[in-house]
Amino acid sequence: LQDEIETILGHKVQPYWKSYLWGIPTAFIYTLVWMARIAEELKVKAIELGIEGPHTSWWNMFGWNTFGILLFGPAVATHHFFNTLNKIEQKLNKK
């Protein structure tokens, strides 16, 4: 997954395991912000490729994982994240 994200975004990103470790002393706020930042970059890439939404986004990832925690929010955020990632990969594979 790390390689796929870096290939799609065109730059190195901090590995998830490092973000996870930084999250431990920060009540996982660091990890959540890291995931939300990657989600926003994927949204920008999807729009750039002309992929129709809905897309993942910073607010989608952050909001569902915080305010929607009791309503299966993390599952919704993860679904949106991987749905957008999948659409981007399908579009790039067609080229």
Side-chain angles (χ1 to χ4, degrees):
L1 184 60
Q2 183 80 25
D3 292 339
E4 291 177 35
I5 290 173
E6 288 177 352
T7 300
I8 288 169
L9 298 179
H11 64 83
K12 290 278 200 189
V13 295
Q14 180 179 17
Y16 176 77
W17 68 268
K18 287 183 181 179
S19 299
Y20 186 86
L21 289 178
W22 277 107
I24 293 169
T26 64
F28 293 98
I29 298 299
Y30 184 93
T31 309
L32 180 56
V33 170
W34 179 87
M35 290 178 358
R37 185 181 57 83
I38 299 298
E40 184 65 25
E41 289 188 55
L42 287 176
K43 179 189 90 172
V44 169
K45 185 68 173 183
I47 292 170
E48 182 181 293
L49 291 171
I51 297 170
E52 292 188 29
H55 304 112
T56 189
S57 67
W58 195 97
W59 180 246
N60 184 281
M61 182 62 73
F62 188 83
W64 277 112
N65 278 294
T66 53
F67 305 115
I69 192 95
L70 299 176
L71 303 170
F72 303 106
V76 172
T78 301
H79 171 73
H80 289 164
F81 181 90
F82 282 105
N83 187 42
T84 301
L85 181 62
N86 188 40
K87 288 178 183 179
I88 292 170
E89 288 178 333
Q90 287 175 350
K91 182 82 168 198
L92 292 175
N93 286 335
K94 287 182 181 178
K95 287 185 176 184

PDB file of all heavy atoms in Angstrom, residues 4 6 10-11 16 22 28 32 35 37 46 52 54 57 59 61 77 79 85 89 91 93:
ATOM      1  N   GLU A   4       2.078   1.898  -3.497  1.00  0.00           N
ATOM      2  CA  GLU A   4       1.000   2.378  -4.362  1.00  0.00           C
ATOM      3  C   GLU A   4       0.721   3.862  -4.120  1.00  0.00           C
ATOM      4  O   GLU A   4       0.579   4.633  -5.061  1.00  0.00           O
ATOM      5  CB  GLU A   4      -0.279   1.576  -4.113  1.00  0.00           C
ATOM      6  CG  GLU A   4      -0.202   0.146  -4.578  1.00  0.00           C
ATOM      7  CD  GLU A   4      -1.463  -0.619  -4.236  1.00  0.00           C
ATOM      8  OE1 GLU A   4      -2.559  -0.039  -4.273  1.00  0.00           O
ATOM      9  OE2 GLU A   4      -1.332  -1.813  -3.922  1.00  0.00           O
ATOM     10  N   GLU A   6       2.696   6.130  -2.801  1.00  0.00           N
ATOM     11  CA  GLU A   6       3.830   6.952  -3.240  1.00  0.00           C
ATOM     12  C   GLU A   6       3.872   7.062  -4.756  1.00  0.00           C
ATOM     13  O   GLU A   6       4.180   8.125  -5.295  1.00  0.00           O
ATOM     14  CB  GLU A   6       5.128   6.378  -2.695  1.00  0.00           C
ATOM     15  CG  GLU A   6       5.274   6.589  -1.205  1.00  0.00           C
ATOM     16  CD  GLU A   6       6.531   5.974  -0.612  1.00  0.00           C
ATOM     17  OE1 GLU A   6       7.260   5.239  -1.313  1.00  0.00           O
ATOM     18  OE2 GLU A   6       6.782   6.234   0.588  1.00  0.00           O
ATOM     19  N   GLY A  10       3.304  10.593  -6.342  1.00  0.00           N
ATOM     20  CA  GLY A  10       4.526  11.078  -6.959  1.00  0.00           C
ATOM     21  C   GLY A  10       5.573  11.570  -5.988  1.00  0.00           C
ATOM     22  O   GLY A  10       6.480  12.308  -6.372  1.00  0.00           O
ATOM     23  N   HIS A  11       5.448  11.206  -4.723  1.00  0.00           N
ATOM     24  CA  HIS A  11       6.451  11.586  -3.727  1.00  0.00           C
ATOM     25  C   HIS A  11       6.415  10.601  -2.571  1.00  0.00           C
ATOM     26  O   HIS A  11       5.444   9.873  -2.377  1.00  0.00           O
ATOM     27  CB  HIS A  11       6.244  13.016  -3.231  1.00  0.00           C
ATOM     28  CG  HIS A  11       4.952  13.237  -2.503  1.00  0.00           C
ATOM     29  ND1 HIS A  11       4.780  12.939  -1.169  1.00  0.00           N
ATOM     30  CD2 HIS A  11       3.750  13.727  -2.931  1.00  0.00           C
ATOM     31  CE1 HIS A  11       3.556  13.249  -0.807  1.00  0.00           C
ATOM     32  NE2 HIS A  11       2.904  13.715  -1.860  1.00  0.00           N
ATOM     33  N   TYR A  16       3.239   4.366   7.415  1.00  0.00           N
ATOM     34  CA  TYR A  16       2.152   4.329   8.387  1.00  0.00           C
ATOM     35  C   TYR A  16       2.645   3.899   9.763  1.00  0.00           C
ATOM     36  O   TYR A  16       2.212   4.449  10.768  1.00  0.00           O
ATOM     37  CB  TYR A  16       1.037   3.390   7.917  1.00  0.00           C
ATOM     38  CG  TYR A  16      -0.061   3.262   8.933  1.00  0.00           C
ATOM     39  CD1 TYR A  16      -0.996   4.277   9.082  1.00  0.00           C
ATOM     40  CD2 TYR A  16      -0.149   2.151   9.764  1.00  0.00           C
ATOM     41  CE1 TYR A  16      -1.995   4.190  10.030  1.00  0.00           C
ATOM     42  CE2 TYR A  16      -1.144   2.053  10.721  1.00  0.00           C
ATOM     43  CZ  TYR A  16      -2.066   3.068  10.848  1.00  0.00           C
ATOM     44  OH  TYR A  16      -3.047   2.980  11.795  1.00  0.00           O
ATOM     45  N   TRP A  22       4.073   7.543  16.392  1.00  0.00           N
ATOM     46  CA  TRP A  22       3.909   8.925  16.850  1.00  0.00           C
ATOM     47  C   TRP A  22       2.520   9.149  17.434  1.00  0.00           C
ATOM     48  O   TRP A  22       2.312  10.037  18.256  1.00  0.00           O
ATOM     49  CB  TRP A  22       4.144   9.916  15.709  1.00  0.00           C
ATOM     50  CG  TRP A  22       5.582  10.223  15.478  1.00  0.00           C
ATOM     51  CD1 TRP A  22       6.354   9.801  14.440  1.00  0.00           C
ATOM     52  CD2 TRP A  22       6.431  11.020  16.313  1.00  0.00           C
ATOM     53  NE1 TRP A  22       7.626  10.279  14.581  1.00  0.00           N
ATOM     54  CE2 TRP A  22       7.704  11.034  15.723  1.00  0.00           C
ATOM     55  CE3 TRP A  22       6.235  11.715  17.497  1.00  0.00           C
ATOM     56  CZ2 TRP A  22       8.773  11.718  16.271  1.00  0.00           C
ATOM     57  CZ3 TRP A  22       7.307  12.403  18.049  1.00  0.00           C
ATOM     58  CH2 TRP A  22       8.557  12.396  17.430  1.00  0.00           C
ATOM     59  N   PHE A  28      -3.308   9.288  19.289  1.00  0.00           N
ATOM     60  CA  PHE A  28      -3.531   8.952  17.879  1.00  0.00           C
ATOM     61  C   PHE A  28      -4.034  10.120  17.031  1.00  0.00           C
ATOM     62  O   PHE A  28      -4.480   9.923  15.903  1.00  0.00           O
ATOM     63  CB  PHE A  28      -4.417   7.710  17.731  1.00  0.00           C
ATOM     64  CG  PHE A  28      -3.717   6.487  18.241  1.00  0.00           C
ATOM     65  CD1 PHE A  28      -3.968   6.005  19.509  1.00  0.00           C
ATOM     66  CD2 PHE A  28      -2.758   5.855  17.463  1.00  0.00           C
ATOM     67  CE1 PHE A  28      -3.292   4.901  19.999  1.00  0.00           C
ATOM     68  CE2 PHE A  28      -2.080   4.746  17.953  1.00  0.00           C
ATOM     69  CZ  PHE A  28      -2.347   4.278  19.215  1.00  0.00           C
ATOM     70  N   LEU A  32      -4.174  10.212  12.895  1.00  0.00           N
ATOM     71  CA  LEU A  32      -5.391  10.641  12.211  1.00  0.00           C
ATOM     72  C   LEU A  32      -5.114  11.786  11.240  1.00  0.00           C
ATOM     73  O   LEU A  32      -5.594  11.783  10.102  1.00  0.00           O
ATOM     74  CB  LEU A  32      -6.445  11.057  13.232  1.00  0.00           C
ATOM     75  CG  LEU A  32      -7.781  11.532  12.679  1.00  0.00           C
ATOM     76  CD1 LEU A  32      -8.399  10.488  11.767  1.00  0.00           C
ATOM     77  CD2 LEU A  32      -8.712  11.876  13.826  1.00  0.00           C
ATOM     78  N   MET A  35      -3.329  10.375   8.189  1.00  0.00           N
ATOM     79  CA  MET A  35      -4.267   9.703   7.282  1.00  0.00           C
ATOM     80  C   MET A  35      -5.131  10.712   6.533  1.00  0.00           C
ATOM     81  O   MET A  35      -5.393  10.555   5.344  1.00  0.00           O
ATOM     82  CB  MET A  35      -5.156   8.730   8.058  1.00  0.00           C
ATOM     83  CG  MET A  35      -4.415   7.533   8.569  1.00  0.00           C
ATOM     84  SD  MET A  35      -5.346   6.309   9.551  1.00  0.00           S
ATOM     85  CE  MET A  35      -6.972   6.906   9.691  1.00  0.00           C
ATOM     86  N   ARG A  37      -4.342  13.776   5.755  1.00  0.00           N
ATOM     87  CA  ARG A  37      -3.519  14.464   4.752  1.00  0.00           C
ATOM     88  C   ARG A  37      -3.377  13.607   3.491  1.00  0.00           C
ATOM     89  O   ARG A  37      -3.514  14.110   2.370  1.00  0.00           O
ATOM     90  CB  ARG A  37      -2.149  14.781   5.334  1.00  0.00           C
ATOM     91  CG  ARG A  37      -1.272  15.602   4.405  1.00  0.00           C
ATOM     92  CD  ARG A  37       0.093  15.880   5.012  1.00  0.00           C
ATOM     93  NE  ARG A  37       0.812  14.675   5.389  1.00  0.00           N
ATOM     94  CZ  ARG A  37       1.534  13.934   4.540  1.00  0.00           C
ATOM     95  NH1 ARG A  37       1.615  14.272   3.279  1.00  0.00           N
ATOM     96  NH2 ARG A  37       2.171  12.869   4.975  1.00  0.00           N
ATOM     97  N   ALA A  46      -7.550  12.483  -7.706  1.00  0.00           N
ATOM     98  CA  ALA A  46      -8.758  11.992  -8.371  1.00  0.00           C
ATOM     99  C   ALA A  46      -9.410  13.089  -9.200  1.00  0.00           C
ATOM    100  O   ALA A  46      -9.817  12.861 -10.342  1.00  0.00           O
ATOM    101  CB  ALA A  46      -9.734  11.434  -7.341  1.00  0.00           C
ATOM    102  N   GLU A  52     -15.058  11.072 -11.188  1.00  0.00           N
ATOM    103  CA  GLU A  52     -16.238  11.592 -10.506  1.00  0.00           C
ATOM    104  C   GLU A  52     -16.289  11.092  -9.074  1.00  0.00           C
ATOM    105  O   GLU A  52     -15.855   9.991  -8.776  1.00  0.00           O
ATOM    106  CB  GLU A  52     -17.499  11.166 -11.249  1.00  0.00           C
ATOM    107  CG  GLU A  52     -17.632  11.826 -12.614  1.00  0.00           C
ATOM    108  CD  GLU A  52     -18.965  11.537 -13.249  1.00  0.00           C
ATOM    109  OE1 GLU A  52     -19.956  11.331 -12.510  1.00  0.00           O
ATOM    110  OE2 GLU A  52     -19.021  11.522 -14.479  1.00  0.00           O
ATOM    111  N   PRO A  54     -18.269  10.412  -5.229  1.00  0.00           N
ATOM    112  CA  PRO A  54     -17.636  11.064  -4.087  1.00  0.00           C
ATOM    113  C   PRO A  54     -16.210  10.582  -3.873  1.00  0.00           C
ATOM    114  O   PRO A  54     -15.865   9.452  -4.236  1.00  0.00           O
ATOM    115  CB  PRO A  54     -18.524  10.679  -2.907  1.00  0.00           C
ATOM    116  CG  PRO A  54     -19.127   9.385  -3.305  1.00  0.00           C
ATOM    117  CD  PRO A  54     -19.266   9.428  -4.798  1.00  0.00           C
ATOM    118  N   SER A  57     -11.467  12.698   1.514  1.00  0.00           N
ATOM    119  CA  SER A  57     -10.916  14.042   1.695  1.00  0.00           C
ATOM    120  C   SER A  57     -10.394  14.162   3.121  1.00  0.00           C
ATOM    121  O   SER A  57     -10.583  13.265   3.946  1.00  0.00           O
ATOM    122  CB  SER A  57     -11.989  15.109   1.468  1.00  0.00           C
ATOM    123  OG  SER A  57     -12.970  15.051   2.484  1.00  0.00           O
ATOM    124  N   TRP A  59     -11.425  16.247   5.432  1.00  0.00           N
ATOM    125  CA  TRP A  59     -12.539  16.337   6.358  1.00  0.00           C
ATOM    126  C   TRP A  59     -13.279  15.008   6.470  1.00  0.00           C
ATOM    127  O   TRP A  59     -13.722  14.620   7.547  1.00  0.00           O
ATOM    128  CB  TRP A  59     -13.495  17.453   5.963  1.00  0.00           C
ATOM    129  CG  TRP A  59     -14.628  17.542   6.909  1.00  0.00           C
ATOM    130  CD1 TRP A  59     -15.945  17.296   6.648  1.00  0.00           C
ATOM    131  CD2 TRP A  59     -14.572  17.857   8.307  1.00  0.00           C
ATOM    132  NE1 TRP A  59     -16.701  17.445   7.782  1.00  0.00           N
ATOM    133  CE2 TRP A  59     -15.879  17.785   8.821  1.00  0.00           C
ATOM    134  CE3 TRP A  59     -13.547  18.183   9.178  1.00  0.00           C
ATOM    135  CZ2 TRP A  59     -16.176  18.040  10.151  1.00  0.00           C
ATOM    136  CZ3 TRP A  59     -13.845  18.424  10.506  1.00  0.00           C
ATOM    137  CH2 TRP A  59     -15.145  18.358  10.974  1.00  0.00           C
ATOM    138  N   MET A  61     -12.055  11.964   6.220  1.00  0.00           N
ATOM    139  CA  MET A  61     -11.271  11.065   7.063  1.00  0.00           C
ATOM    140  C   MET A  61     -11.294  11.529   8.518  1.00  0.00           C
ATOM    141  O   MET A  61     -11.545  10.747   9.425  1.00  0.00           O
ATOM    142  CB  MET A  61      -9.834  10.989   6.549  1.00  0.00           C
ATOM    143  CG  MET A  61      -8.945  10.041   7.320  1.00  0.00           C
ATOM    144  SD  MET A  61      -9.455   8.320   7.272  1.00  0.00           S
ATOM    145  CE  MET A  61      -9.027   7.861   5.617  1.00  0.00           C
ATOM    146  N   ALA A  77     -15.061   6.025   6.696  1.00  0.00           N
ATOM    147  CA  ALA A  77     -13.876   6.754   6.233  1.00  0.00           C
ATOM    148  C   ALA A  77     -12.925   5.830   5.478  1.00  0.00           C
ATOM    149  O   ALA A  77     -12.393   6.207   4.427  1.00  0.00           O
ATOM    150  CB  ALA A  77     -13.165   7.397   7.418  1.00  0.00           C
ATOM    151  N   HIS A  79     -13.699   3.043   3.932  1.00  0.00           N
ATOM    152  CA  HIS A  79     -14.342   2.690   2.652  1.00  0.00           C
ATOM    153  C   HIS A  79     -14.138   3.799   1.623  1.00  0.00           C
ATOM    154  O   HIS A  79     -13.762   3.530   0.478  1.00  0.00           O
ATOM    155  CB  HIS A  79     -15.825   2.433   2.862  1.00  0.00           C
ATOM    156  CG  HIS A  79     -16.575   2.273   1.583  1.00  0.00           C
ATOM    157  ND1 HIS A  79     -16.467   1.151   0.785  1.00  0.00           N
ATOM    158  CD2 HIS A  79     -17.413   3.114   0.938  1.00  0.00           C
ATOM    159  CE1 HIS A  79     -17.219   1.312  -0.296  1.00  0.00           C
ATOM    160  NE2 HIS A  79     -17.805   2.493  -0.218  1.00  0.00           N
ATOM    161  N   LEU A  85      -8.941   5.444  -3.810  1.00  0.00           N
ATOM    162  CA  LEU A  85      -7.671   4.858  -4.234  1.00  0.00           C
ATOM    163  C   LEU A  85      -7.891   3.865  -5.372  1.00  0.00           C
ATOM    164  O   LEU A  85      -7.157   3.871  -6.370  1.00  0.00           O
ATOM    165  CB  LEU A  85      -6.986   4.174  -3.051  1.00  0.00           C
ATOM    166  CG  LEU A  85      -5.631   3.527  -3.316  1.00  0.00           C
ATOM    167  CD1 LEU A  85      -4.601   4.565  -3.750  1.00  0.00           C
ATOM    168  CD2 LEU A  85      -5.153   2.787  -2.071  1.00  0.00           C
ATOM    169  N   GLU A  89      -6.429   4.057  -9.253  1.00  0.00           N
ATOM    170  CA  GLU A  89      -5.624   2.980  -9.834  1.00  0.00           C
ATOM    171  C   GLU A  89      -6.251   2.447 -11.117  1.00  0.00           C
ATOM    172  O   GLU A  89      -5.545   2.157 -12.084  1.00  0.00           O
ATOM    173  CB  GLU A  89      -5.438   1.848  -8.817  1.00  0.00           C
ATOM    174  CG  GLU A  89      -4.497   2.244  -7.703  1.00  0.00           C
ATOM    175  CD  GLU A  89      -4.334   1.166  -6.657  1.00  0.00           C
ATOM    176  OE1 GLU A  89      -5.259   0.343  -6.473  1.00  0.00           O
ATOM    177  OE2 GLU A  89      -3.264   1.152  -6.031  1.00  0.00           O
ATOM    178  N   LYS A  91      -8.102   4.113 -13.218  1.00  0.00           N
ATOM    179  CA  LYS A  91      -7.900   5.141 -14.247  1.00  0.00           C
ATOM    180  C   LYS A  91      -6.458   5.118 -14.750  1.00  0.00           C
ATOM    181  O   LYS A  91      -6.209   5.185 -15.965  1.00  0.00           O
ATOM    182  CB  LYS A  91      -8.237   6.516 -13.665  1.00  0.00           C
ATOM    183  CG  LYS A  91      -8.112   7.662 -14.615  1.00  0.00           C
ATOM    184  CD  LYS A  91      -9.339   7.783 -15.479  1.00  0.00           C
ATOM    185  CE  LYS A  91      -9.332   9.098 -16.207  1.00  0.00           C
ATOM    186  NZ  LYS A  91     -10.630   9.449 -16.709  1.00  0.00           N
ATOM    187  N   ASN A  93      -4.367   2.606 -14.667  1.00  0.00           N
ATOM    188  CA  ASN A  93      -4.105   1.347 -15.370  1.00  0.00           C
ATOM    189  C   ASN A  93      -4.646   1.352 -16.792  1.00  0.00           C
ATOM    190  O   ASN A  93      -4.155   0.617 -17.643  1.00  0.00           O
ATOM    191  CB  ASN A  93      -4.676   0.147 -14.602  1.00  0.00           C
ATOM    192  CG  ASN A  93      -3.856  -0.190 -13.383  1.00  0.00           C
ATOM    193  OD1 ASN A  93      -2.675   0.111 -13.316  1.00  0.00           O
ATOM    194  ND2 ASN A  93      -4.507  -0.804 -12.400  1.00  0.00           N
TER     195      ASN A  93
END
